[in-house]
């Protein structure tokens, strides 16, 4: 009997423990469920606040862009009005300038017409006086022209003689350089003499071209145009193969000059 009671007590204790354990498990599950729900509510609240913040920021950005657009449009309208005012002022100024120019031109034409009436009366007198002056000045001018022509011929003759002297000097220098070049042995000396010879030939060509231009197209190159004048400084010796110069002194058409 005592063992049965002890067994019954043990069964009761086990049931009590089992019930307590079940209640503990249920409480634990319930606590976890409440925790999950609380966490879900917290996450949803955070998400809602984040969405509200994003919506607020988006609304503020849209408002800022709208205000910037409105400001740009207003500034563009102001600039357009200012530009139109400037264009209108410029056109009015140009119109005023044209009117003033036309008025000045008309006034100038009127003054010229008035002066022309007075000038017409004096014109015959001035013509007669001018004819008298032309006759007097013509005589003086003829003498001056003759004197000027003679001076120019003398100057041309002196210039031709100077060019001929320079050409002869260049020819002598060229011949001297050629002789030195033929005797030179050192390559450096040969190169230097050759450079001097080329420079002298170029100078001689320029001198002959300059001397040929005043001659007025005597048929060949520069040398042929000036060689006949060579005998003049030497008095008939040296280059005597050309014809003697029989031109009248001061003749501008003489080919010897």
């Amino acid at each position: 009997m005592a063992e049965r009671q002890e067994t019954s007590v043990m069964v009761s204790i086990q049931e009590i423990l089992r019930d307590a354990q079940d209640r503990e498990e249920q409480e634990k599950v319930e606590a976890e469920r409440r925790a999950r729900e609380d966490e879900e509510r917290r996450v949803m609240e955070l998400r809602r606040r984040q969405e509200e913040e994003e919506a607020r920021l988006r609304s503020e950005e849209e408002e800022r862009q709208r205000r910037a657009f409105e400001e740009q449009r207003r500034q563009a309208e102001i600039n357009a009005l200012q530009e139109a005012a400037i264009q209108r002022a410029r056109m009015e100024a140009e119109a005023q300038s044209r009117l003033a120019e036309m008025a000045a031109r008309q006034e100038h034409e009127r003054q010229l017409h008035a002066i022309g009436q007075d000038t017409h009366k004096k014109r015959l007198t001035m013509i007669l006086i001018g004819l008298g002056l032309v006759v007097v000045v013509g005589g003086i001018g003829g003498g001056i022209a003759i004197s000027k022509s003679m001076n120019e011929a003398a100057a041309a003759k002196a210039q031709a003689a100077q060019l001929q002297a320079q050409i002869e000097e260049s020819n002598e220098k060229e011949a001297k350089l050629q002789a030195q070049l033929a005797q030179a042995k050192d390559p450096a000396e040969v190169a230097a003499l050759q450079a001097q010879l080329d420079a002298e030939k170029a100078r001689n060509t320029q001198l002959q071209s300059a001397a040929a231009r005043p001659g007025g197209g005597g048929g060949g190159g520069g040398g042929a145009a000036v060689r006949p004048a060579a005998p003049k400084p030497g008095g008939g010796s040296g280059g005597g193969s050309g014809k003697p110069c029989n031109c009248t002194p001061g003749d501008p058409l003489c080919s010897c000059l």
Side-chain angles (χ1 to χ4, degrees):
M1 184 71 178
E3 292 179 357
R4 188 180 304 158
Q5 289 179 351
E6 184 179 355
T7 302
S8 178
V9 170
M10 291 295 293
V11 170
S12 298
I13 292 172
Q14 289 178 356
E15 290 178 351
I16 291 170
L17 291 174
R18 189 181 303 111
D19 292 338
Q21 187 176 2
D22 291 340
R23 283 194 303 271
E24 186 179 354
E25 291 291 335
Q26 290 177 357
E27 289 176 358
K28 184 178 180 181
V29 170
E30 185 67 20
E32 291 177 353
R33 184 183 62 80
R34 286 196 301 270
R36 284 196 303 272
E37 291 177 354
D38 292 341
E39 182 66 18
E40 290 177 356
R41 283 195 297 271
R42 187 180 68 81
V43 170
M44 291 179 63
E45 181 66 19
L46 289 175
R47 185 179 301 168
R48 183 183 63 80
R49 291 179 181 178
Q50 184 178 1
E51 290 176 353
E52 290 178 353
E53 182 67 17
E54 290 176 354
R56 185 183 65 80
L57 293 176
R58 186 164 53 252
S59 177
E60 291 178 355
E61 179 65 19
E62 291 176 354
E63 180 66 18
R64 187 185 64 79
Q65 292 181 358
R66 186 187 65 80
R67 290 179 180 177
F69 175 76
E70 291 293 333
E71 179 65 21
Q72 291 177 357
R73 185 170 62 83
R74 187 177 65 84
Q75 189 64 34
E77 292 176 351
I78 293 173
N79 292 336
L81 291 174
Q82 292 177 351
E83 184 66 21
I86 293 172
Q87 291 292 339
R88 184 167 58 254
R90 184 183 293 113
M91 292 175 63
E92 291 177 356
E94 291 177 354
Q96 292 292 334
S97 177
R98 285 195 295 269
L99 290 174
E101 185 180 356
M102 291 175 61
R105 188 183 299 113
Q106 291 176 356
E107 179 65 20
H108 181 65
E109 291 176 353
R110 187 185 64 78
Q111 292 178 359
L112 288 177
H113 182 70
I115 294 173
Q117 295 294 330
D118 296 335
T119 305
H120 181 70
K121 298 177 182 178
K122 301 177 182 178
R123 187 172 299 168
L124 292 175
T125 303
M126 296 298 295
I127 290 174
L128 294 176
I129 295 174
L131 289 174
L133 290 175
V134 167
V135 173
V136 175
V137 173
I140 297 174
I144 293 174
I146 294 173
S147 176
K148 183 178 180 181
S149 177
M150 294 179 65
N151 291 335
E152 289 178 353
K157 185 176 181 180
Q159 184 179 5
Q162 182 180 4
L163 283 173
Q164 182 61 36
Q166 292 177 356
I167 290 171
E168 291 178 355
E169 179 185 357
S170 179
N171 289 334
E172 293 177 359
K173 189 174 181 180
E174 185 178 338
K176 182 178 179 181
L177 288 171
Q178 287 178 350
Q180 293 176 356
L181 182 62
Q183 297 176 359
K185 302 299 183 181
D186 186 12
E189 183 181 2
V190 170
L193 291 173
Q194 185 64 46
Q196 294 179 10
L197 180 60
D198 293 340
E200 191 62 32
K201 286 182 178 180
R203 175 173 173 268
N204 197 342
T205 302
Q206 291 178 357
L207 289 172
Q208 294 190 17
S209 298
R213 281 195 296 270
V226 296
R227 289 286 195 268
K232 189 173 183 61
S237 62
S241 59
K243 295 181 179 180
C245 184
N246 296 323
C247 297
T248 303
D251 187 0
L253 300 178
C254 181
S255 61
C256 297
L257 298 179

